[in-house]
Amino acid sequence: MAGKLRKQVRRALADETLQAALSRFTMLTRFGRQMGMTGIDFEALRQDLHERKKKAIDDLPALVRQFKENAAASGAVIFEAENAGKANDYIAGLARELGVKHIIKSKSMLTEEIGLRHHLEQRGIRVDETDIGERIVQLAGEKPAHLVGPAIHKTAEQIASLFSELLGEQVSSDSQPLLDTVRRSLRQSYLDAGMGISGANIAIADTGTIVILTNEGNGQLVTTLSPLQVAVVGIEKIVRGFEDANAVLRLLSRSCVGTKMTIYTSFITGTGRAGEVCGMPLPGGQGPRELHIVLVDNGRSRMRDSDDFREALYCIKCGVCLNVCPVFASLSGQTYGHVYQGGIGTILTAFYHDRERSRELAEMCLGCMSCKSVCPAGIDIPGLIRRMRAKHVEEKGLAAGKKLAYRMILKHPARLEGAVRTCARLEGPFLDADSMIKSLPYPLRSITDTISLPGLQTILLGDRMTAYKSPVAGKAPKVAFYSGCITSFAYPGLGEDVMRLLERYDVAPYYPQDQACCGAPAYFAGDSGTALALARHNIEALSGQEPDYVVTVCPGCAVMLKKEFLSLTAGEPALHERALHLSGKVRDLSQLLSELGPGRGIKAAAVGRVTYHDPCHLRRGLGISAEPRKLIESAGYELVEMNDADACCGFGGDTLLAHPELCGSVLQRKLANIEATGVDTVVTGCMPCVLQLRGGLHKKGSPIRVVHIAELLAGRF
Amino acid sequence: MVDNSEILERFKTEATLTGAQVFLACSVEEATEYVLKLVSDKDIKVVVKSGSPIADRLGLTARLAAAGVKVTETSITQWAAQMARGQDVPVDKLAELISAAAGEQVPAEPEAILQVARRILKEVYAGAGLGITEADFGIAETGTLVTLENEGNARLAAILPKLHLTLLDGSRIAGSLADAAELIKGSSGGIQSHKLPTFITYLTGRNTTADIPGAIFARAQGPDEEHILIFRA
């Protein structure tokens, strides 16, 4: 099964038309969001929306009752469907009862989720999608590529040929005439159809109102022109009042398109009526005579009941998480297989469609946290994915290879060291003149197809740190250096640079010898047991000599020590207390150096130009982006910003093993941005990023140098 | 009238940013001139309109008719009145008039009249060069026009014709989305029943699609242009 997804990934990566479309799409949406965020306090607005959605989901059973009562009082007919089949049968039954042969439909992810169109078409009913993008994928017989832009992967030529076939005439692929043709063909559908089906972006319990947003205007037509309207509404869309709806409206369009508001926002309450003619009232007016609201559960209550995944119900389906996702940018939506895409789609897929597929999709997440940083509902999508992985491990156990790697080796620091030393002795034949490994045999070959790997060392960092076993007595502050595995095993020289550097800042650095892996690989793969064992070990190792600070060169480790140890130890109050104490001392190197003030004897004379890559865990995990830039400039370097400096380098830990081609594609975008700056050095602040960027550039034979900021600064004293 | 020039200015700025063409008229003559110029510039022969106190005050239907433009009222009550040339006619007489217009026999029952009216009006909307509607109020922070109705004709007149003109009373501008919600709650009690109006439409800018590559901000399924005439006299 996993092999199937990998094949689908490869196919998407090899599709040049798709890749070109995705690159246009990414550029456009990035620009859109920038525009949308101008002039607002995003953090305050999303906090507000998060709280309102949280409250609504907490109160959901009461809100559903209230919505039903008020909608019924305003003239709507309510049907509650606990699953897809019941919703589909109800709507098909309505069509049959009223002799409806032709339906117009506006875009609704929920109707895709339940397969409504297919269900109706199988019963001989013609269903015309009216969102232009959705119409295109309908004609192509495909699923939507994106929550908001279903046809982002289609070229004008492909679209023209779909409509040529539909209309039996030659349709031009020039954008304007093509659009005119599409509009004309849709117009006729609206006038002819006997039923209109829409979704709803929001439902308001206080008034029984449904809110429908479209930029094209098709939502207006679908909900007005047909004598019969059906709105298919997920129960998680219900909020209490108008102010809650406003909180959604304030961020939805700003997030996904970049405009302040969606162009048409319709609040529909019940059915309409016209004034009187000859003293007789005219029910329905020019809108539908009947409004049926189908409230769909289909797994939502189950999600609500699971504390771990309830947050996914806050999603307002704006799609901005897809717009910033490096994996989505390489694949587009069809690769995900069901209806919902990206990180949030991975969670929704588990509840609405297919647990096994969800497990596979979860393996693609690079953990870059881009989605989390832009989500208007404040959903911790990477956290949901990690919990999903943990749940799979809990239920099905770890895969054999991971079990060996995490539980038998990683968990035991001495075994891990032994394994590294053994590999270091065996790797000789694979090393090139730069001490890099360009090619390994199966099963590791696919990794070295993407990046060259650094040779492992036989003299590890611990061996070189014997002079730094404890801080110089009487000197303060005491700074414990936590190196992380990559520094320790592959780049021990960097550890030595860090110690020299810290001495220039007049602190008492030392290297706690008993430190172990932070547990991140196991933690993010869902192996919480191994992660907890390592948290316990490290809390002990790092607390021993009562440091004032614990400094890291790897923000991934820092996030573990500072944040994740807290959640891992939540069940053990005494240990948790110690984790909390440790958490307050953890500093990223650039952060600590900035706090300490300028180092003694640093050369500030101009030396050259460099660019800087923001590590995901540093920028989004710890919120640090200004400090390293200032340090670089204060050391005499001119900083040339690259495009998308904060985009992921594609390292992604386990993902590199499961989907090396995918990681490679994310890496290539990063390398292109680095190369475009024209500088010969890229600085970053994270060892996995260093490994990935060095490996990628070496593989390409590029002369561009990658340095950790510790190395850069150590060279300026 | 309270001085709301600041909020009005903000509305104009934001509405212009959304892609609408905004004009502020400070007198009946200025407002009427603007509409007459619009239909003449765009060579518009057929106009549909929904009920509008501002249009009534401008005497717009008569002025347009005098300029050779055919104006169809879209509220069924007014459409029927237009059919009856403003006379108070019994239902059989009305059915007769409509039968003549529709070219088919329409039974003298309100339900039948409604169905025929709906069918005829659909074609009229779609064939019109301009739809004229009046917004209940504007929202300054987003440049949004808010229209409340129960019948559904205003939203059709706003979307199906080739161009759309919204008339807006310059004294009726809410500052924010939150203010708008308060206004709606305040006014809904007064609209025919205790529930909210059936259709509340927020219109912000001109309809667009990005689904056809190479036509990013192209007109989608609504009018080609959005015009806003703010009347402040």
Side-chain angles (χ1 to χ4, degrees):
Chain A
M1 284 297 282
K4 189 172 152 211
L5 176 58
R6 191 155 163 201
K7 259 183 228 145
Q8 289 162 334
V9 166
R10 283 184 184 147
R11 197 178 315 135
L13 293 176
D15 183 339
E16 283 173 26
T17 315
L18 174 66
Q19 292 301 321
L22 279 167
S23 124
R24 270 197 311 275
F25 173 77
T26 305
M27 213 159 61
L28 197 67
T29 52
R30 191 144 315 173
F31 170 73
R33 181 164 187 279
Q34 246 166 26
M35 194 167 77
M37 292 299 116
T38 309
I40 57 163
D41 183 348
F42 174 65
E43 289 304 331
L45 289 178
R46 80 153 151 184
Q47 182 67 28
D48 179 55
L49 178 56
H50 180 84
E51 278 159 22
R52 288 174 188 278
K53 285 300 287 185
K54 178 176 187 314
K55 180 101 179 60
I57 297 300
D58 286 348
D59 298 345
L60 193 57
L63 291 185
V64 169
R65 259 196 317 278
Q66 204 181 337
F67 176 81
K68 277 163 56 187
E69 274 167 29
N70 289 324
S74 70
V77 180
I78 313 291
F79 179 77
E80 282 184 275
E82 60 181 87
N83 57 35
K86 288 191 176 159
N88 290 337
D89 285 342
Y90 177 77
I91 297 164
L94 275 180
R96 193 174 52 241
E97 225 171 87
L98 296 157
V100 173
K101 293 272 170 258
H102 180 189
I103 293 173
I104 43 169
K105 193 178 155 301
S106 61
K107 192 168 84 60
S108 142
M109 290 307 290
L110 173 53
T111 60
E112 291 284 337
E113 174 191 321
I114 63 177
L116 175 61
R117 188 177 70 223
H118 181 68
H119 185 90
L120 294 168
E121 282 170 345
Q122 276 188 326
R123 279 149 189 81
I125 300 168
R126 174 177 158 196
V127 182
D128 292 342
E129 293 288 350
T130 61
D131 173 88
I132 294 173
E134 190 74 12
R135 181 69 172 153
I136 293 166
V137 291
Q138 177 187 17
L139 295 177
E142 293 173 11
K143 285 178 177 159
H146 182 283
L147 287 172
V148 178
I152 54 168
H153 59 301
K154 286 276 178 256
T155 62
E157 290 70 27
Q158 289 168 329
I159 297 167
S161 106
L162 290 168
F163 279 92
S164 297
E165 196 180 322
L166 175 75
L167 303 172
E169 57 180 271
Q170 195 54 43
V171 173
S172 163
S173 65
D174 292 343
S175 54
Q176 205 50 56
L178 173 57
L179 190 52
D180 292 339
T181 307
V182 173
R183 185 188 310 116
R184 258 199 320 276
S185 95
L186 285 170
R187 276 281 168 102
Q188 199 52 48
S189 293
Y190 293 117
L191 301 179
D192 298 342
M195 181 195 277
I197 297 178
S198 74
N201 297 79
I202 311 166
I204 304 176
D206 271 351
T207 52
T209 301
I210 53 173
V211 188
I212 293 160
L213 314 182
T214 63
N215 281 317
E216 293 184 8
N218 59 314
Q220 303 297 102
L221 296 168
V222 165
T223 56
T224 318
L225 281 172
S226 306
L228 181 64
Q229 188 200 344
V230 176
V232 191
V233 185
I235 53 171
E236 85 283 10
K237 294 291 173 69
I238 302 178
V239 295
R240 185 173 296 282
F242 248 85
E243 252 320 288
D244 305 298
N246 279 344
V248 177
L249 296 180
R250 284 188 190 104
L251 285 177
L252 201 153
S253 185
R254 284 180 186 273
S255 292
C256 66
V257 183
T259 50
K260 290 182 178 120
M261 288 277 282
T262 304
I263 293 159
Y264 293 98
T265 303
S266 272
F267 298 77
I268 300 175
T269 311
T271 45
R273 61 208 160 279
E276 297 175 351
V277 165
C278 304
M280 303 285 277
L282 303 173
Q286 298 183 42
R289 176 67 63 90
E290 287 177 36
L291 167 63
H292 294 255
I293 300 177
V294 181
L295 286 177
V296 181
D297 188 311
N298 201 38
R300 285 159 177 77
S301 290
R302 220 156 29 82
M303 202 185 292
R304 182 175 173 275
D305 291 340
S306 75
D307 287 342
D308 280 349
F309 302 104
R310 181 182 265 212
E311 209 181 326
L313 292 170
Y314 305 169
C315 176
I316 59 170
K317 308 268 160 65
C318 71
V320 70
C321 55
L322 307 176
N323 302 350
V324 299
C325 175
V327 175
F328 185 91
S330 286
L331 301 181
S332 124
Q334 272 95 8
T335 315
Y336 293 85
H338 287 277
V339 172
Y340 296 107
Q341 315 101 8
I344 191 75
T346 299
I347 306 301
L348 301 183
T349 295
F351 281 88
Y352 303 157
H353 294 112
D354 181 349
R355 286 287 300 275
E356 177 55 23
R357 183 69 176 188
S358 165
R359 188 191 61 72
E360 290 171 24
L361 296 178
E363 285 191 340
M364 295 201 295
C365 175
L366 295 164
C368 76
M369 295 173 281
S370 296
C371 49
K372 182 183 175 182
S373 72
V374 298
C375 176
I379 304 173
D380 177 9
I381 301 169
L384 290 171
I385 297 224
R386 189 190 49 71
R387 292 200 282 275
M388 181 59 72
R389 289 172 178 166
K391 201 171 167 59
H392 286 300
V393 170
E394 214 174 275
E395 287 170 5
K396 301 267 167 68
L398 267 179
K402 287 185 185 177
K403 204 181 217 163
L404 174 74
Y406 300 149
R407 298 202 176 145
M408 304 305 287
I409 301 176
L410 195 71
K411 196 171 172 181
H412 309 282
R415 286 190 205 161
L416 179 60
E417 261 194 49
V420 170
R421 287 182 206 274
T422 307
C423 290
R425 277 194 296 276
L426 296 175
E427 75 194 0
F430 299 102
L431 292 178
D432 71 0
D434 306 317
S435 292
M436 294 289 275
I437 300 168
K438 263 192 147 167
S439 178
L440 280 172
Y442 179 86
L444 301 172
R445 200 171 76 205
S446 52
I447 300 179
T448 48
D449 281 348
T450 305
I451 55 170
S452 305
L453 290 170
L456 293 170
Q457 304 283 317
T458 44
I459 305 172
L460 308 182
L461 182 60
D463 309 331
R464 303 174 189 220
M465 288 281 121
T466 45
Y468 289 106
K469 280 187 176 158
S470 41
V472 176
K475 203 165 180 188
K478 293 188 277 182
V479 179
F481 173 44
Y482 180 82
S483 66
C485 299
I486 295 180
T487 304
S488 176
F489 303 145
Y491 299 114
L494 180 91
E496 296 171 305
D497 284 339
V498 170
M499 294 321 233
R500 278 198 294 275
L501 192 57
L502 287 170
E503 283 169 341
R504 290 289 188 164
Y505 282 77
D506 280 332
V507 299
Y510 69 103
Y511 183 80
Q513 284 284 342
D514 199 28
Q515 58 185 276
C517 169
C518 68
Y523 183 63
F524 289 107
D527 181 4
S528 308
T530 299
L532 176 59
L534 287 166
R536 194 188 308 281
H537 183 104
N538 281 310
I539 290 170
E540 188 60 43
L542 296 176
S543 308
Q545 307 186 65
E546 304 206 334
D548 298 297
Y549 298 107
V550 174
V551 71
T552 66
V553 285
C554 187
C557 303
V559 168
M560 285 302 291
L561 303 182
K562 197 173 177 63
K563 299 183 172 176
E564 309 297 357
F565 279 10
L566 297 178
S567 47
L568 279 167
T569 57
E572 296 182 41
L575 187 62
H576 186 71
E577 194 55 39
R578 298 183 69 193
L580 206 57
H581 191 64
L582 172 65
S583 169
K585 296 179 177 180
V586 176
R587 298 287 186 281
D588 169 69
L589 180 71
S590 66
Q591 184 186 20
L592 179 66
L593 298 185
S594 303
E595 284 176 28
L596 292 172
R600 184 163 40 82
I602 190 164
K603 299 177 204 147
V607 262
R609 303 160 80 224
V610 299
T611 189
Y612 176 73
H613 160 69
D614 283 289
C616 299
H617 282 83
L618 190 57
R619 174 137 190 171
R620 286 178 287 275
L622 298 171
I624 294 171
S625 60
E627 291 88 337
R629 288 179 164 81
K630 279 191 198 130
L631 287 169
I632 289 168
E633 287 175 340
S634 69
Y637 292 93
E638 183 195 335
L639 182 59
V640 183
E641 290 285 352
M642 69 174 96
N643 278 331
D644 299 334
D646 66 345
C648 181
C649 68
F651 176 75
D654 268 10
T655 313
L656 194 58
L657 295 168
H659 293 285
E661 301 86 358
L662 178 60
C663 291
S665 138
V666 176
L667 171 64
Q668 292 311 320
R669 279 198 298 273
K670 174 55 67 176
L671 297 185
N673 282 329
I674 292 172
E675 284 164 343
T677 61
V679 303
D680 60 6
T681 304
V682 51
V683 185
T684 189
C686 165
M687 292 316 289
C689 295
V690 167
L691 185 147
Q692 173 86 344
L693 296 176
R694 272 187 194 159
L697 289 165
H698 183 265
K699 194 90 207 165
K700 286 179 89 172
S702 163
I704 297 176
R705 219 161 55 94
V706 183
V707 295
H708 190 282
I709 190 165
E711 280 172 279
L712 187 85
L713 296 176
R716 295 297 292 154
F717 284 96
Chain B
M1 193 171 68
V2 285
D3 176 32
N4 71 340
S5 31
E6 207 173 298
I7 217 171
L8 180 61
E9 209 41 53
R10 173 90 198 272
F11 174 82
K12 272 176 62 186
T13 308
E14 291 296 338
T16 306
L17 283 173
T18 67
Q21 300 175 42
V22 187
F23 183 75
L24 175 66
C26 295
S27 69
V28 167
E29 222 21 63
E30 219 182 334
T32 316
E33 282 302 314
Y34 175 83
V35 181
L36 290 173
K37 184 167 186 316
L38 179 67
V39 294
S40 129
D41 285 354
K42 304 286 177 182
D43 198 22
I44 290 161
K45 300 287 178 230
V46 179
V47 167
V48 289
K49 68 176 281 295
S50 62
S52 159
I54 295 175
D56 293 348
R57 183 156 166 215
L58 302 180
L60 208 50
T61 305
R63 294 291 300 269
L64 285 168
V69 177
K70 182 176 161 49
V71 180
T72 304
E73 291 291 345
T74 58
S75 131
I76 291 178
T77 312
Q78 289 189 37
W79 177 79
Q82 220 177 16
M83 285 283 173
R85 302 215 160 67
Q87 305 290 305
D88 199 4
V89 295
V91 69
D92 51 347
K93 178 68 186 162
L94 181 63
E96 216 173 277
L97 289 167
I98 293 172
S99 300
E104 62 175 296
Q105 199 52 47
V106 179
E109 294 156 9
E111 177 60 33
I113 290 173
L114 174 66
Q115 292 315 325
V116 172
R118 282 182 63 133
R119 208 174 59 237
I120 293 176
L121 280 169
K122 274 187 193 178
E123 303 292 341
V124 177
Y125 291 118
L130 175 69
I132 301 177
T133 63
E134 180 170 336
D136 289 83
F137 56 91
I139 306 175
E141 74 168 333
T142 51
T144 298
L145 296 160
V146 179
T147 306
L148 281 51
E149 59 166 334
N150 286 314
E151 185 165 343
N153 60 312
R155 58 205 255 123
L156 293 174
I159 197 165
L160 285 169
K162 192 163 187 311
L163 306 177
H164 176 219
L165 167 65
T166 306
L167 307 177
L168 174 67
D169 179 341
S171 68
R172 294 184 57 82
I173 316 273
S176 63
L177 283 174
D179 296 343
E182 288 310 311
L183 272 181
I184 289 168
K185 283 182 211 159
S187 64
S188 60
I191 297 188
Q192 291 177 30
S193 83
H194 298 298
K195 75 168 180 98
L196 285 182
T198 304
F199 300 109
I200 302 173
T201 305
Y202 286 17
L203 171 62
T204 312
R206 197 209 58 179
N207 66 96
T208 59
T209 179
D211 289 334
I212 306 282
I216 298 301
F217 293 109
R219 167 194 180 195
Q221 305 193 42
D224 206 11
E225 293 170 15
E226 285 289 346
H227 295 259
I228 303 173
L229 172 60
I230 306 171
F231 182 58
R232 196 176 198 239

